[in-house]
Amino acid sequence: MTTPTGDRTAPGVCVLGLGLIGGSLLRALDRAGRPAFGWNRSAATVDAAAAAGHDADTDLSAVLARAAQQDALVVVATPTPIVGEILAQVARHAPGCALTDVVSVKQAVADAVAERGLSARYVGGHPMAGTSRSGWDATDPDLFVDAPWVVCADDDTDPMVWSTVADVALAVGARVVPVATEDHDPLVAAISHLPHLTAAVTATVGAGPGDLALRLAAGSFRDGTRVAGTAVDLQRAMIEANGPAVLTLLSEAIDRLTAARDELRDSGTVHTLVEDGHRARTRWDAMRGADPEPIVDVTVGSDGWAAELRRQAHLGRVWTGPGQTRRDSPG
């Protein structure tokens, strides 16, 4: 892989929140040669970022005034519970800036954006990347390389803002997946939020017999409980913000486990659940091993462009930029 040449003429990027995702984004943008600066409430975090050579500050109003002056793209990368507070400051200090976010739910953020009159210049985003660690010390400029990055493409989306957000994702090596805002939360509930709950169950039940069981635990327990090690407040924030979608899938998971229990009790087998799970995991492994095809023949801003992006994304294609077949990731 090659590192793309930095484009210092590209719009600046203002990252609000320098935890795992926001901090990794600031680091990745700096490495890619893109103009970027950030804010964090914690002075310790800002000091660590500055010591590493990054442009960061604790003064939110000053950072947003700078974003407004430079017409920068504002990226909200704070925990879900304070998104509304941050958006209120954006509305006050930088209402004309293009706006996106990297929060793990989209409808709640879109609603909060609308409440503050910022919808016209907003495009939701969600990089599908992360670890069980958090904070600046966990940041990694390689975090987004080859990771799917949802960039919401609704019928009323501003095409210029969409292209700006997509280009930032491409600049840090991600694969842009256009998704409708209303489709995002049920999808992520299935592959991210529910797994946090099943990991919590596995960890709790596994630890039940005591320390001897934990001393015997190996790969299955480690892999099945990894995300349970994520900070509790971060897990709760994302799961609870997506409550309706998670409730639906949690009910399905409980029904499947109940059916497996009944099958084992009545027939001495767990054939159905294990077969279904093996089949689903095998499909995922096959998809991970294949380089996705690019979205083709779509001009962002043309009639029906957003619908066509979504249609091709459902076929497994990703946006690689206009006139490109693939963009090399930084490395």
Side-chain angles (χ1 to χ4, degrees):
M1 294 184 293
T2 59
T3 302
T5 302
D7 182 4
R8 288 291 171 182
T9 65
V13 180
C14 170
V15 183
L16 304 181
L18 300 178
L20 172 64
I21 302 299
S24 295
L25 178 58
L26 180 63
R27 293 182 64 190
L29 287 169
D30 276 345
R31 186 177 67 179
R34 294 290 297 267
F37 54 98
W39 166 86
N40 202 82
R41 180 172 290 171
S42 165
T45 295
V46 167
D47 288 345
H54 304 287
D55 187 346
D57 200 336
T58 57
D59 188 335
L60 181 56
S61 60
V63 168
L64 286 172
R66 179 180 174 188
Q69 182 180 29
Q70 297 181 9
D71 196 23
L73 170 68
V74 174
V75 182
V76 177
T78 60
T80 307
I82 66 168
V83 165
E85 172 189 337
I86 298 301
L87 289 173
Q89 294 302 308
V90 174
R92 180 180 179 184
H93 297 287
C97 285
L99 176 66
T100 188
D101 71 288
V102 290
V103 180
S104 65
V105 293
K106 293 277 70 74
Q107 192 60 60
V109 176
D111 291 345
V113 167
E115 289 172 7
R116 290 155 182 85
L118 299 169
S119 296
R121 300 275 287 162
Y122 169 71
V123 171
H126 182 198
M128 303 302 299
T131 71
S132 60
R133 299 171 62 217
S134 58
W136 177 263
D137 289 344
T139 61
D140 179 0
D142 288 324
L143 185 66
F144 309 110
V145 173
D146 289 335
W149 189 310
V150 170
V151 180
C152 291
D154 299 316
D155 292 339
D156 59 352
T157 294
D158 183 316
M160 292 185 65
V161 177
W162 193 92
S163 295
T164 298
V165 175
D167 190 56
V168 166
L170 292 173
V172 298
R175 293 172 170 173
V176 172
V177 182
V179 175
T181 297
E182 66 179 3
D183 292 338
H184 172 274
D185 291 358
L187 293 171
V188 175
I191 51 85
S192 178
H193 301 163
L194 179 65
H196 275 81
L197 293 176
T198 56
V201 169
T202 301
T204 303
V205 173
D211 287 349
L212 180 57
L214 292 176
R215 290 192 185 98
L216 296 174
S220 295
F221 185 83
R222 178 197 64 222
D223 296 343
T225 64
R226 180 184 65 81
V227 295
T230 305
V232 170
D233 57 338
L234 296 179
Q235 293 190 70
R236 286 190 56 194
M238 69 178 182
I239 294 167
E240 293 168 6
N242 200 16
V246 174
L247 277 171
T248 298
L249 291 164
L250 186 58
S251 295
E252 180 182 344
I254 292 169
D255 289 345
R256 287 181 177 272
L257 287 170
T258 299
R261 180 203 63 191
D262 294 347
E263 187 180 31
L264 181 61
R265 179 194 62 210
D266 298 339
S267 305
T269 182
V270 289
H271 170 82
T272 301
L273 182 58
V274 171
E275 285 284 339
D276 288 348
H278 179 76
R279 189 179 306 113
R281 171 65 193 222
T282 301
R283 284 175 57 199
W284 183 67
D285 285 337
M287 292 174 68
R288 287 186 71 203
D291 203 19
E293 296 182 4
I295 290 173
V296 296
D297 299 328
V298 180
T299 300
V300 174
S302 62
D303 289 344
W305 67 274
E308 181 59 19
L309 286 180
R310 298 194 303 267
R311 186 189 73 80
Q312 294 200 38
H314 277 284
L315 298 176
R317 297 173 182 169
V318 298
W319 177 255
T320 57
Q324 300 181 45
T325 57
R326 191 179 190 279
R327 177 174 294 192
D328 287 338
S329 304

